[in-house]
Amino acid sequence: MEVIQHNHPWNGYYDPDILNEKLRQYRRLGHIVPPRKIIKNADQIEGIRRSSVINTAVLNHIATHIHCGMTTQEIDKLVYDFTIAHNAVPAPLNYEGFPKSVCTSINDEVCHGIPSDDIILKDGDIINVDVSTILDGYFSDASRMFMIGNVTAERKHLVQVTKECLELGVKAARPWGFLGDIGQAIQEHAEANGYSVVRDFCGHGVGLEFHEKPEVEHVGRKGTGMLLVPGMIFTIEPMINMGTYEIFIDADNDWTVLTEDGLPSAQWENTVLITDNGCEILTH
Ligand code: MF3
Ligand code: CO
C-alpha cells in the first residue's frame, strides 16, 4: 500500500487558561462564541488530519482518472474502491439515505448530484466532485471542479472565480475573527464578477461528525457571526451561480440541487483548521 504523508505546522496546543479567559471576554462583549465540543483537542486534530490526507488522495485519484465519455457511476466506483483500500469509508454512502459514495454535480447542478450509469461526461461539461471520508471515526470533506474537454471561456471564468472565492474565504479565516469575515470575502468577490452566492447550502463544522456546528455561510458581514477560535475545524464550500442564486431540488430523487434558471454553478471546498495564528487547509 502506498504511504501518504503530510507534514503540518500546528501541534494543536493552546493554553486552556488563555482560551477560557478570551472566551469569557468575547461572550461578555455580546459575541456568539463556539460551544466547547466543536473546539478540537490535539488528538482529535491529528485524527482529522489523517482522514483529510486520505480524502485528498481520493480527489487526486479522481483527477488522474476523470475523462470525457466516462459515467459518473465510474467516478463513484473509483472513490469507493480507493477509499476502502485505504481502510476508510466514504462518508456520503447511506448518509441520510444518500445512495452513493460521492456527489457528482454537473453544469446547472449546484450540489448533491447522484452518480449514475446514465450520466456520461461530455465535452464542455464542468463537474464538481465532492468527496468526504471517515477514517478511524474522523470526518473530512473537500471538493474540486473538473473541466471536461473544451469548456467555454464563460464557464472557465465561473470555475476560476469560484476557486478564488474559496481562497479568499480561507484567507479571511483566522483566530479571534468571525464567520462573517469569511462570508463577506466570498460574497464581495462573487458579486464583483457578476455572479451570485447560493444561500440555501452552507459550509459546516466537521471532524467528529459529518455535519457539526457552526453553519458557515458564504455571504455575510465582517465582524458578525460566530467567533473563530483555535481548534475549530469546518468546511468552506462556496457554491457560485452564473445567474440567480435561487435553487430547487430535483423531485425525482429528492437530493440533486439545481439552479432555478438553468445556468451553470460551480463549487470548491476545503476543510480548514483555525490555528493559534491563522488557518491551515487540512485537505491539501
Ligand atoms: N460536502 C457535502 C456537504 O457537506 C457532501 C454531502 S454528502 C451527502 O453537504 F450525502 F449529503 F450528499
Ligand atoms: Co461539506
Side-chain angles (χ1 to χ4, degrees):
M1 187 65 52
E2 165 194 8
V3 178
I4 307 161
Q5 257 190 336
H6 206 324
N7 294 321
H8 289 276
W10 193 45
N11 64 11
Y13 179 78
Y14 199 85
D15 187 312
D17 294 330
I18 297 175
L19 181 69
N20 283 328
E21 180 51 30
K22 279 186 165 283
L23 291 179
R24 255 197 305 278
Q25 279 173 12
Y26 278 98
R27 193 180 286 111
R28 205 183 308 125
L29 289 168
H31 291 292
I32 306 162
V33 306
R36 285 287 157 178
K37 65 171 181 223
I38 66 165
I39 303 174
K40 272 72 179 177
N41 65 34
D43 286 348
Q44 293 167 334
I45 291 169
E46 200 41 45
I48 299 161
R49 264 192 222 294
R50 292 182 46 232
S51 174
S52 299
V53 170
I54 303 296
N55 202 71
T56 299
V58 177
L59 276 165
N60 290 340
H61 183 60
I62 296 308
T64 60
H65 288 90
I66 196 164
H67 61 270
C68 192
M70 84 191 297
T71 67
T72 51
Q73 178 55 43
E74 291 174 70
I75 297 174
D76 190 75
K77 182 169 165 48
L78 287 168
V79 169
Y80 180 82
D81 290 346
F82 187 96
T83 306
I84 297 298
H86 288 79
N87 304 313
V89 177
L93 189 57
N94 303 317
Y95 175 78
E96 293 188 5
F98 192 80
K100 298 286 176 176
S101 295
V102 61
C103 298
T104 51
S105 308
I106 303 178
N107 300 336
D108 64 327
E109 294 173 349
V110 174
C111 62
H112 301 172
I114 302 177
S116 161
D117 283 321
D118 301 332
I119 302 174
I120 301 167
L121 300 188
K122 59 181 196 305
D123 190 59
D125 281 346
I126 57 171
I127 177 174
N128 175 274
V129 178
D130 190 341
V131 173
S132 317
T133 300
I134 315 170
L135 179 72
D136 300 333
Y138 294 108
F139 290 76
S140 54
D141 188 2
S143 80
R144 297 181 196 164
M145 295 298 295
F146 297 99
M147 296 191 269
I148 307 301
N150 298 300
V151 170
T152 64
E154 215 187 9
R155 286 181 175 193
K156 276 187 185 156
H157 190 251
L158 175 69
V159 169
Q160 176 59 28
V161 168
T162 305
K163 190 170 192 223
E164 292 163 3
C165 283
L166 172 57
E167 288 162 358
L168 290 166
V170 170
K171 245 192 212 162
R174 59 179 212 300
W176 320 116
F178 299 89
L179 276 180
D181 305 355
I182 299 170
Q184 176 164 335
I186 292 168
Q187 182 174 14
E188 275 180 2
H189 191 59
E191 293 179 355
N193 282 278
Y195 301 141
S196 69
V197 181
V198 171
R199 269 55 167 173
D200 295 323
F201 294 86
C202 300
H204 50 89
V206 65
L208 309 186
E209 292 170 57
F210 197 170
H211 295 104
E212 303 173 359
K213 279 184 185 168
E215 284 193 3
V216 180
E217 291 185 44
H218 303 109
V219 297
R221 262 185 28 252
K222 225 173 138 80
T224 67
M226 187 181 283
L227 179 71
L228 301 179
V229 168
M232 285 174 75
I233 295 181
F234 52 83
T235 73
I236 304 176
E237 48 179 307
M239 285 144 273
I240 307 298
N241 293 355
M242 199 177 281
T244 176
Y245 59 70
E246 303 286 352
I247 55 93
F248 70 100
I249 296 174
D250 189 335
D252 292 336
N253 63 27
D254 271 341
W255 273 105
T256 310
V257 179
L258 295 123
T259 61
E260 184 67 49
D261 58 12
L263 290 176
S265 181
Q267 178 178 30
W268 290 82
E269 171 179 24
N270 273 319
T271 295
V272 301
L273 163 68
I274 301 296
T275 67
D276 55 350
N277 66 3
C279 155
E280 187 183 317
I281 298 172
L282 298 182
T283 45
H284 238 49

